[in-house]
Amino acid sequence: METFPVVDLSQITGEKREAAMEKMNDACENWGFFELVNHGISHELMDTVEKLTKEHYKKCMEQRFKEMVASKGLEAVQSEIHDLDWESTFFLRHLPVSNISQIPDLDEDYRKVMKEFAVELEKLAEQLLDLLCENLGLEKGYLKKAFYGSKGPNFGTKVSNYPPCPKPDLIKGLRAHTDAGGIILLFQDDKVSGLQLLKDGQWIDVPPMHHSIVINLGDQLEVITNGKYKSVMHRVIAQPDGTRMSIASFYNPGDDAFICPAPALLEKETENISAYPKFVFDDYMKLYSGLKFHAKEPRFEAMKAMESTVNLDPVATV
């Protein structure tokens, strides 16, 4: 069986750079995921984020989750549940405007640490986008500019906990989907597993690894690369024991960013044909919100159909 790709970011500045870049490129083309180690975010900061996230769940969210489970009778279900997920979540927005100060129930220490963590993740996301540009043969900064729109990118974090589930065969932690946006950076529990991706028709575990950041690509990068890189279906399997922590940060295009295959990549195609639609990111998100747990291809086809009825003028980027 193939080994899940692990990229050591510290090698990017040394003599192993070429091999590390090739491993990253292969992961983007064939997996849509890779695990990143030596990524430059301090382990001490990650340990603090994990500690405070788990404390916050215990203090503020665990009881609410138990009440939700009881109210829906989920512990006694006899058939597979298709319309909800076994997860407890909240969302933080960082860019273009932060909402961390408005989120209720967060201790000041937790707010401060999550802000600090978001700054580090933003820098890492932009570094990775430039490394993808290099592998794709695009000019440095192309992907960041493509995401920018008029107000800069959307960047936010989904903080999730997946408690022990009495019926893991009937309820998913999170149903299978591809991510709508750009590049996703996940800090996941290193002890309780559950994340899986679909590769060659098989569900493959994304292994928990201490202090790593799991990277995956969203639908927008598949469109911009004209399918050279792929967004991949993934899911979370609920576990009978242990609560799994998941902190997923999404570096996405701005609402009015105009998304289309990169012309420089189309020039390399023998037929110079775009297989993907052109659209404004917010229009895609409106469609995605109702179709998240469906295949991505019909979403792309629907956006292509919209192209013929709407005059799309690219938004000026910085």
Side-chain angles (χ1 to χ4, degrees):
M1 191 174 125
E2 293 177 276
T3 305
F4 192 88
V6 178
V7 175
D8 183 341
L9 197 61
S10 68
Q11 294 180 350
I12 296 298
T13 55
E15 59 190 31
K16 297 181 179 177
R17 186 177 206 279
E18 187 176 341
M21 291 293 284
E22 177 51 41
K23 183 179 270 194
M24 188 183 299
N25 189 59
D26 181 74
C28 291
E29 287 187 356
N30 298 307
W31 291 77
F33 271 76
F34 56 94
E35 205 128 10
L36 199 63
V37 297
N38 294 322
H39 40 64
I41 299 177
S42 96
H43 292 178
E44 183 182 4
L45 175 59
M46 295 179 78
D47 289 343
T48 305
V49 167
E50 179 173 0
K51 174 177 176 286
L52 295 181
T53 297
K54 290 181 174 179
E55 286 177 1
H56 176 263
Y57 172 73
K58 281 280 185 194
K59 178 180 168 187
C60 300
M61 302 189 73
E62 186 175 42
Q63 186 57 35
R64 282 182 224 160
F65 184 79
K66 288 177 179 176
E67 289 169 3
M68 182 277 291
V69 168
S71 71
K72 295 182 182 293
L74 294 179
E75 289 186 330
V77 296
Q78 300 298 316
S79 56
E80 189 166 357
I81 300 291
H82 296 286
D83 60 351
L84 59 78
D85 304 301
W86 189 268
E87 64 172 358
S88 171
T89 66
F90 66 94
F91 295 86
L92 302 173
R93 188 174 66 247
H94 313 301
L95 296 174
V97 179
S98 172
N99 73 344
I100 291 183
S101 60
Q102 282 91 54
I103 302 294
D105 302 331
L106 299 188
D107 292 341
E108 280 310 307
D109 285 353
Y110 192 27
R111 286 184 214 275
K112 182 180 175 186
V113 162
M114 292 306 280
K115 279 185 181 177
E116 188 181 341
F117 191 42
V119 169
E120 294 299 315
L121 288 168
E122 181 189 349
K123 287 190 289 192
L124 180 58
E126 293 179 352
Q127 179 186 4
L128 289 169
L129 287 177
D130 276 344
L131 293 173
L132 298 191
C133 283
E134 184 177 335
N135 271 335
L136 290 161
L138 296 171
E139 64 176 320
K140 185 176 181 180
Y142 180 89
L143 290 171
K144 184 180 176 184
K145 188 185 288 187
F147 282 21
Y148 203 85
S150 63
K151 297 176 182 174
N154 282 302
F155 184 45
T157 297
K158 177 187 177 187
V159 181
S160 306
N161 282 275
Y162 298 90
C165 179
K167 303 274 187 173
D169 53 329
L170 298 179
I171 308 175
K172 294 286 185 294
L174 181 59
R175 289 160 285 166
H177 63 287
T178 64
D179 289 326
I183 190 166
I184 299 87
L185 303 92
L186 169 68
F187 175 26
Q188 69 166 345
D189 205 291
D190 67 325
K191 296 180 180 65
V192 183
S193 62
L195 179 62
Q196 296 182 329
L197 64 87
L198 188 63
K199 186 176 191 299
D200 303 326
Q202 302 287 320
W203 287 104
I204 296 173
D205 291 332
V206 178
M209 188 180 292
H210 198 37
H211 292 141
S212 74
I213 299 285
V214 177
I215 307 299
N216 74 284
L217 309 183
D219 294 348
Q220 307 311 303
L221 284 177
E222 179 166 339
V223 172
I224 293 171
T225 65
N226 203 39
K228 181 175 172 63
Y229 290 171
K230 295 284 197 299
S231 62
V232 169
M233 292 289 275
H234 53 285
R235 67 185 185 183
V236 176
I237 298 299
Q239 303 293 332
D241 301 298
T243 296
R244 176 179 175 266
M245 179 198 76
S246 164
I247 302 174
S249 297
F250 300 80
Y251 189 99
N252 291 347
D255 290 348
D256 63 357
F258 178 73
I259 303 298
C260 63
L265 296 182
L266 290 181
E267 288 168 9
K268 297 178 184 178
E269 302 280 345
T270 50
E271 297 175 1
N272 197 10
I273 292 175
S274 166
Y276 288 84
K278 304 172 184 175
F279 51 82
V280 173
F281 178 63
D282 193 47
D283 290 337
Y284 187 83
M285 289 306 294
K286 287 171 183 169
L287 180 72
Y288 179 87
S289 63
L291 298 171
K292 175 177 177 177
F293 299 109
H294 296 259
K296 64 191 171 185
E297 290 79 9
R299 297 196 293 263
F300 293 152
E301 289 304 316
M303 298 312 294
K304 269 204 158 182
M306 282 177 62
E307 268 184 76
S308 58
T309 59
V310 179
N311 178 28
L312 287 173
D313 294 317
V315 174
T317 58
V318 292

